[in-house]
């Protein structure tokens, strides 16, 4: 699995958009970009994933650059409950066409602090 | 309720005393994994399993064993725990044709 690079920490004002970047310059053609978050010491929670197209769900949007070497997770209106560590992961398989490879590397993530 | 459960949630033990942390999921998921989390090191995968009787090493498998005799259970075994295995442990599972991984609540282990 390709390695990712994320800033160690970021602040965001409550109600504003939080833009969390991730570099994955060695990503392979069959690797997807996943985002998870971990609130305090709870188990990580899945947010969103994508291959090359931008994706949006009820939690966030994922913007992947055309060369796929970086991506940005966008929380459109950050709330205090969005304060967490956000992990960007790349791995083979996006679900619908995945086979079996399941090794995952999480890294240390970005600690997002939403400020009132 | 769909969930991943881990037991115990907290455990303090002594060096060398064998222990097992259980993990169970009620979602009929094929894939299950174990992770440990340490300050400054993030989440690191210990072992994973793609189905019953199919397991493989993650990034930090030394000192751990796993088994997958039933689809719903994936216990983590520490045959001879050492203080460097003091950590927060997470079990996770996902359906084969799904992107979303579900995590358990965590087990905080202290080895003295």
């Amino acid at each position: 699995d390709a390695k990712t690079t994320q800033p160690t920490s970021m602040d965001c004002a409550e109600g504003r958009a939080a833009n969390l970047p991730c570099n994955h310059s060695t990503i392979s053609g069959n690797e997807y970009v996943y985002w998870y978050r971990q609130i305090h010491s709870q188990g990580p929670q899945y947010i969103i994933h994508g291959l090359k197209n931008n994706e949006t769900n009820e939690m966030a949007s994922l913007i992947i650059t055309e060369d796929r070497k970086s991506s940005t997770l966008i929380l459109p209106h950050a709330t205090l409950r969005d304060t967490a560590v956000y992990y960007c992961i790349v791995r083979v398989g996006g679900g619908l066409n995945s086979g079996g490879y399941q090794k995952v590397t999480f890294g240390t993530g970005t600690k997002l602090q939403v400020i009132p | 309720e769909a969930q991943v459960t881990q037991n115990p949630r907290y455990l303090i033990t002594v060096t060398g005393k064998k222990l097992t942390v259980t993990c169970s999921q009620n979602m009929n998921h094929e894939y299950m994994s174990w992770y440990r989390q340490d300050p400054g090191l993030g989440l690191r995968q210990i072992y994973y399993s793609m189905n019953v009787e199919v397991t493989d090493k993650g990034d930090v498998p030394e000192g751990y064993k796993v088994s997958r005799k039933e689809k719903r259970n994936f216990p983590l075994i520490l045959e001879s725990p050492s203080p460097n295995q003091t950590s927060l442990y997470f079990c996770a599972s996902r359906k084969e044709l799904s992107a979303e991984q579900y995590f358990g609540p965590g087990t905080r282990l202290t080895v003295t």
Side-chain angles (χ1 to χ4, degrees), chain B residues 23-39:
Chain B
C23 173
S24 183
Q25 48 92 5
N26 62 0
M27 297 169 279
N28 200 37
H29 286 174
E30 287 81 11
Y31 296 157
M32 297 186 75
S33 299
W34 274 104
Y35 298 84
R36 62 176 289 174
Q37 185 169 36
D38 304 289

Side-chain angles (χ1 to χ4, degrees), chain A residues 34 36 38 41-46 49 87 91-92 94-108, chain B residues 31 33 35 37 40-43 45 48 50 57-59 88 90 94 96-101 103-105 108:
Chain A
Y34 288 78
Y36 282 78
Q38 185 178 25
S41 293
Q42 298 176 22
Q45 175 192 22
Y46 165 84
H49 77 285
Y87 296 97
R91 72 166 178 87
V92 173
L96 294 181
N97 61 352
S98 68
Y101 190 63
Q102 177 63 340
K103 189 172 179 180
V104 177
T105 301
F106 265 77
T108 55
Chain B
Y31 296 157
S33 299
Y35 298 84
Q37 185 169 36
L41 296 176
L43 276 160
Q45 194 173 39
Y48 61 95
M50 290 177 279
K57 298 177 181 178
D59 292 320
L88 178 58
F90 289 101
R94 76 172 174 90
E96 181 178 5
L97 297 181
S98 171
E100 184 173 356
Q101 192 165 204
F103 282 80
R108 190 168 292 280

Side-chain angles (χ1 to χ4, degrees), chain B residues 73-94:
Chain B
N73 296 323
F74 190 44
L76 180 69
I77 303 156
L78 286 73
E79 294 271 2
S80 182
S82 62
N84 64 12
Q85 293 178 298
T86 292
S87 188
L88 178 58
Y89 291 86
F90 289 101
C91 180
S93 73
R94 76 172 174 90

Side-chain angles (χ1 to χ4, degrees), chain A residues 6-62:
Chain A
Q6 299 177 252
T8 303
S9 63
M10 293 180 64
D11 291 340
C12 177
E14 188 178 17
R16 305 296 294 269
N19 296 280
L20 294 95
C22 179
N23 286 320
H24 31 79
S25 58
T26 60
I27 192 170
S28 301
N30 61 348
E31 288 182 316
Y32 286 69
V33 180
Y34 288 78
W35 284 84
Y36 282 78
R37 74 179 182 184
Q38 185 178 25
I39 297 172
H40 194 43
S41 293
Q42 298 176 22
Q45 175 192 22
Y46 165 84
I47 301 173
I48 198 168
H49 77 285
L51 180 62
K52 53 184 178 181
N53 298 321
N54 298 337
E55 302 287 345
T56 296
N57 63 20
E58 65 278 4
M59 289 182 67
S61 295
L62 173 61

